[in-house]
Amino acid sequence: MGIKERKEKHKEDLRQRILDAAKDLFLKDGYEATSIRKIAEKIEFSPTTIYLYYKDKADIMYALHQEGFKLLGSQFGVLQHVSEPFERLKAMGRVYMSFALSNPDFYELMFIMKEPIEFVKAHCHDEEWEEGEQAFTALILTVDQCKAAGYFTSFDTTTFALNVWSLMHGLCSLKLQGHLDHMATTKAHMLEEGDWLEKTFEGFIAMLNSLK
Amino acid sequence: MGIKERKEKHKEDLRQRILDAAKDLFLKDGYEATSIRKIAEKIEFSPTTIYLYYKDKADIMYALHQEGFKLLGSQFGVLQHVSEPFERLKAMGRVYMSFALSNPDFYELMFIMKEPIEFVKAHCHDEEWEEGEQAFTALILTVDQCKAAGYFTSFDTTTFALNVWSLMHGLCSLKLQGHLDHMATTKAHMLEEGDWLEKTFEGFIAMLNSLK
DNA sequence: TTCATTTTATTAACACTGTTAATTATGTTT
DNA sequence: AAACATAATTAACAGTGTTAATAAAATGAA
């Protein structure tokens, strides 16, 4: 009987329509403005209907956050073709930074807000976190290959990877939250114009080079 | 006439009582749970009275965020007595990290949330940001002195300082937001036990040492 | 086809939130 | 005591996430 399948598909369809509507609102107006009622209005359903497809708002945000990780993952994927590990590491940094700047709301949801990761801790007790770990695994692998190629030889791989991630995350966060621009406009000796995000990143690359 | 002064003092008193109540709630239950109504109940006033002393909730949060910067500033202050610049730089990192872990809500308000800094941009158009800049100025100064002492000689001071801040901020953020612990529990090759915050920080210090 | 059952969607309501306008109470000055 | 200014309050608006009870629709068996 194909009827049940068609129903299942219909159900899955509506689930997706809810997510699409939520994504639209989220990317346009941010987290707060993405209310259950507005999502419902967009898909022309009653607000409470949404609760038949998602546990709560955090559930929807978790789904969106997964989409974000898929996007980042796909951008990281193409870097596998950069064979030289140190080149790849630098490119990863650029891609990460570019992703954060191009998708600030996604980045906030994925790395800054605590709501989605608390949802993971509460409901995904198993090992369903693939998307997120994959990116970090890729970083660890690349650092390992860098070490094999003679870079960072005196450092522990995981520790070094965490340092790289911390720096990139901190840099992107400070930029997105406006702290970087704020320092640039208020500190007198920074008035020599210039894109401090770019400059700082270049400084980071220079540091990595010195660490060979 | 001392009456007017006493009235002024009374007004300033209530303003402080509001802030204290807000601080209590904020440190106990976080940002969201600190509602105007709860603050009002705590000081036994009507909710709307608060609007006679603070423009809105963001204003209160800005005041709290300033208190946070004063606290961090005082902790940074004692570091002035560490004469060796590189030692002082390392100590600054430790103090920053310790502050973030001991005052997670303050840290979030000061460096992670965008609400207070948007309030600054909107209402403190002048140069009233002292508290925040002071800490960064201290960092720049220390980096400069490190350079004078032969460290990081090939790097631009401001760029290097931004890198240090980014790394420390990223590390603390990832820790507070739970990402660090999450990676530790899910990634198989990280199961060797251990405080990854501490290990990563030590790795950072090692990096700085290699950069001499 | 009709009736009973299950699934899906809706309305109404709860308990909150920040915030504003209009009104009352308080205290000061003439 | 009357007039005024300040301070505080009540009532209300426009939202929020979420749940329980009810109505509608689709499905199963007789």
Side-chain angles (χ1 to χ4, degrees):
Chain A
M1 47 175 73
I3 297 169
K4 213 160 196 174
E5 291 172 24
R6 204 172 54 205
K7 272 201 67 179
E8 282 297 314
K9 190 162 188 179
H10 218 75
K11 215 173 131 84
E12 203 46 54
D13 246 40
L14 187 46
R15 207 181 132 88
Q16 187 59 48
R17 280 178 58 203
I18 291 171
L19 196 62
D20 288 344
K23 189 174 168 184
D24 270 22
L25 287 167
F26 177 75
L27 292 180
K28 189 153 60 70
D29 305 314
Y31 177 86
E32 302 279 335
T34 308
S35 73
I36 303 287
R37 283 174 174 82
K38 280 184 194 161
I39 297 171
E41 191 186 26
K42 216 169 163 64
I43 59 170
E44 293 183 300
F45 272 84
S46 168
T48 49
T49 301
I50 290 173
Y51 287 89
L52 300 173
Y53 297 85
Y54 289 93
K55 196 190 162 295
D56 51 22
K57 187 177 177 179
D59 195 359
I60 299 174
M61 287 304 160
Y62 169 69
L64 239 49
H65 137 124
Q66 265 186 315
E67 280 213 2
F69 270 105
K70 268 183 208 148
L71 189 61
L72 178 61
S74 76
Q75 298 192 11
F76 267 11
V78 307
L79 293 177
Q80 299 289 2
H81 300 118
V82 181
S83 54
E84 215 288 294
F86 187 60
E87 285 303 316
R88 186 163 70 247
L89 182 65
K90 289 189 284 184
M92 277 182 87
R94 281 228 102 90
V95 167
Y96 188 91
M97 202 165 89
S98 158
F99 173 84
L101 290 190
S102 307
N103 312 89
D105 297 286
F106 265 137
Y107 190 85
E108 200 172 333
L109 198 60
M110 292 157 68
F111 297 111
I112 296 178
M113 299 188 67
K114 48 173 53 157
E115 189 122 46
I117 203 157
E118 269 170 8
F119 186 87
V120 173
K121 280 196 284 187
H123 302 286
C124 316
H125 22 61
D126 295 69
E127 298 222 352
E128 349 177 24
W129 182 211
E130 312 156 49
E131 270 83 13
E133 292 165 45
Q134 210 170 308
F136 188 60
T137 305
L139 174 61
I140 289 212
L141 220 91
T142 298
V143 170
D144 235 354
Q145 291 173 355
C146 280
K147 281 179 71 177
Y151 294 85
F152 331 130
T153 48
S154 65
F155 299 96
D156 169 63
T157 301
T158 308
T159 293
F160 195 85
L162 282 174
N163 265 288
V164 171
W165 184 22
S166 291
L167 197 147
M168 289 308 303
H169 169 60
L171 185 56
C172 294
S173 297
L174 291 176
K175 172 64 183 178
L176 291 181
Q177 248 63 0
H179 282 101
L180 224 61
D181 300 312
H182 187 253
M183 284 299 159
T185 55
T186 51
K187 295 260 25 148
H189 49 90
M190 285 176 88
L191 282 184
E192 340 138 2
E193 157 268 336
D195 182 353
W196 284 102
L197 180 73
E198 183 61 29
K199 280 192 178 173
T200 306
F201 180 69
E202 281 164 14
F204 176 45
I205 299 296
M207 277 175 61
L208 290 182
N209 266 310
S210 303
L211 248 41
K212 181 163 181 176
Chain B
M1 47 176 74
I3 297 169
K4 213 161 196 174
E5 290 170 24
R6 203 172 54 207
K7 273 199 67 178
E8 282 295 314
K9 189 163 187 179
H10 218 75
K11 217 173 130 83
E12 202 47 54
D13 247 37
L14 188 44
R15 207 180 133 88
Q16 187 59 49
R17 279 177 61 203
I18 291 171
L19 197 61
D20 288 343
K23 190 175 167 185
D24 270 21
L25 287 168
F26 177 76
L27 292 180
K28 190 153 58 71
D29 305 315
Y31 177 86
E32 302 278 335
T34 308
S35 72
I36 304 287
R37 283 174 174 83
K38 280 185 193 162
I39 297 171
E41 190 186 28
K42 216 169 162 63
I43 60 170
E44 294 182 299
F45 272 84
S46 169
T48 49
T49 301
I50 291 173
Y51 288 88
L52 300 173
Y53 298 84
Y54 290 92
K55 196 190 161 294
D56 50 23
K57 186 177 177 178
D59 195 359
I60 298 175
M61 288 304 160
Y62 169 70
L64 239 48
H65 137 124
Q66 265 186 315
E67 280 213 2
F69 270 105
K70 267 182 208 150
L71 189 59
L72 178 62
S74 77
Q75 297 193 10
F76 267 11
V78 307
L79 293 176
Q80 301 288 4
H81 301 117
V82 181
S83 53
E84 214 288 293
F86 187 60
E87 285 303 315
R88 186 163 70 247
L89 182 64
K90 289 188 284 184
M92 277 182 88
R94 280 229 101 92
V95 167
Y96 188 91
M97 202 165 88
S98 157
F99 174 84
L101 290 190
S102 307
N103 312 90
D105 297 285
F106 266 137
Y107 189 85
E108 199 173 333
L109 199 60
M110 292 158 70
F111 297 110
I112 296 178
M113 298 189 67
K114 48 174 51 158
E115 190 121 45
I117 203 156
E118 269 169 9
F119 186 87
V120 173
K121 281 196 284 188
H123 303 285
C124 316
H125 23 60
D126 294 70
E127 297 220 354
E128 348 178 23
W129 180 210
E130 313 156 49
E131 271 83 14
E133 292 165 47
Q134 209 169 312
F136 187 61
T137 305
L139 174 60
I140 290 210
L141 219 90
T142 297
V143 170
D144 235 354
Q145 290 173 354
C146 281
K147 282 179 70 177
Y151 294 85
F152 331 130
T153 47
S154 64
F155 299 96
D156 169 61
T157 301
T158 308
T159 294
F160 196 85
L162 281 175
N163 266 288
V164 171
W165 184 22
S166 292
L167 196 146
M168 289 309 302
H169 169 61
L171 186 56
C172 294
S173 297
L174 291 177
K175 172 65 182 177
L176 291 181
Q177 246 63 359
H179 282 101
L180 224 61
D181 300 312
H182 187 252
M183 285 298 160
T185 54
T186 51
K187 296 258 29 146
H189 50 89
M190 284 177 87
L191 284 183
E192 340 138 1
E193 157 271 336
D195 183 351
W196 284 102
L197 179 73
E198 183 60 29
K199 280 190 178 173
T200 306
F201 180 69
E202 281 165 14
F204 175 46
I205 299 297
M207 276 174 61
L208 290 182
N209 267 311
S210 302
L211 249 42
K212 180 162 182 178

